[in-house]
Amino acid sequence: MAFQLPPLPYDYSALEPTIDTQTMKLHHDMHHGTYVKNLNAALEKYSNLQSKAAEELLRDLNSIPEDIRTAVRNNGGGHVNHSMFWKIMKPKGGGDPNGPIADVIKKTFGNLKDFQTKFSDAGAKQFGSGWVWLAGKPDGSVQILTTPNQDNPISQGLFPILGNDVWEHAYYLKYNNRRPEYLAAWWNVVNWEEINNRYESLKSGHLEPALASR
Ligand code: MN
C-alpha cells in the first residue's frame, strides 16, 4: 500500500485572493505529488517500512536505513507537511480561534495578534526554504519554531499544530519576493476549527486523526 496524494479538500480557486489558483494547482498536484512519488520510490525495497505512518518514519530518522534516510526526511516531511497544510486552510477562514487553542495562545503569547506577529516574523526570517510552526508537547505547552527544507517538528519530539509553508513555490507567483505580505495575508485562510482539533488531539494523546492520510 503506497502513500497517496490526498485530494485538496476544496477547489483550486477556493482560497483566492489570498492564494491564487495556479499556485494551488502547482503546489498540490506537482510539488506535493512529487514528494509522495519520491517517498514511495525510496521505500520500494524496504517493505517493512511501507506499512508505517509517514509521521512514524520521521519520528526516529536514525532508525531509517542510511541509503534512504535523506529521501525519507525530505519527501516524508514534504508529504506530512503538505497533508496538514491543505487541511488547516479553508475558504472564508481566518478570524479568531475558539476552544483550547485560543486559550493556549492567550496564555503563551498574551493575545492572538501578538502570536500572529511573532509567527509571521519568524517565517519571514527563515533563511531560504522551510516552514514556520506552532508546535506543542503532550503537556499542552506550545512554541513557535522554524525548520529548513521539509523538516517536521516531529523529528524533534514536538507535534505540529499549525505550520505555514515559506518555500517560494508557496507564494512567488502572486507575492513575488514579498514573503512578509504572504505571511500576513495567510491568516485570512486559516481553518481554526481544524487547528483546534489538532491541538486537542495532542492534549488527549489521540493523534491518529491528525496524521497524514495514506
Ligand atoms: Mn510547499
Side-chain angles (χ1 to χ4, degrees), residues 26-28 31-32 35 78 81-82 85-86 130-131 149-150 164-171 182:
L26 289 168
H27 198 175
H28 176 270
H31 290 278
H32 189 175
Y35 297 129
N81 297 349
H82 290 85
F85 189 58
W86 314 128
W131 288 73
N149 306 315
Q150 294 296 350
N164 194 0
D165 188 343
V166 299
W167 283 59
E168 285 185 345
H169 68 224
Y171 63 85
Y182 156 71

Side-chain angles (χ1 to χ4, degrees), residues 5-87:
L5 176 64
L8 204 59
Y10 34 72
D11 290 343
Y12 295 115
S13 62
L15 304 182
E16 292 266 12
T18 303
I19 304 181
D20 62 283
T21 305
Q22 197 190 355
T23 294
M24 288 301 290
K25 194 161 175 40
L26 289 168
H27 198 175
H28 176 270
D29 295 5
M30 308 310 291
H31 290 278
H32 189 175
T34 301
Y35 297 129
V36 172
K37 191 172 152 232
N38 289 343
L39 176 61
N40 287 329
L43 297 176
E44 215 156 76
K45 59 177 181 164
Y46 293 98
S47 55
N48 59 317
L49 298 178
Q50 291 168 5
S51 58
K52 290 181 184 287
E55 286 85 352
E56 215 181 319
L57 301 173
L58 300 177
R59 196 167 287 133
D60 186 10
L61 284 166
N62 287 328
S63 72
I64 304 296
E66 210 175 343
D67 62 326
I68 60 164
R69 194 175 298 156
T70 301
V72 167
R73 179 179 182 166
N74 290 339
N75 296 291
H79 178 44
V80 171
N81 297 349
H82 290 85
S83 296
M84 171 207 70
F85 189 58
W86 314 128
K87 286 193 203 161

Side-chain angles (χ1 to χ4, degrees), residues 7 33 42 65 96 122 195 206:
D96 292 356
I195 292 163
H206 296 107

Side-chain angles (χ1 to χ4, degrees), residues 3 16-17 56 94 96 109 115 124 135 211:
F3 289 97
E16 292 266 12
E56 215 181 319
D96 292 356
F109 303 99
F115 159 66
L211 302 184

Side-chain angles (χ1 to χ4, degrees), residues 130-146:
W131 288 73
V132 54
W133 306 94
L134 181 71
K137 295 180 184 168
D139 68 4
S141 62
V142 299
Q143 64 190 85
I144 292 170
L145 73 152
T146 57

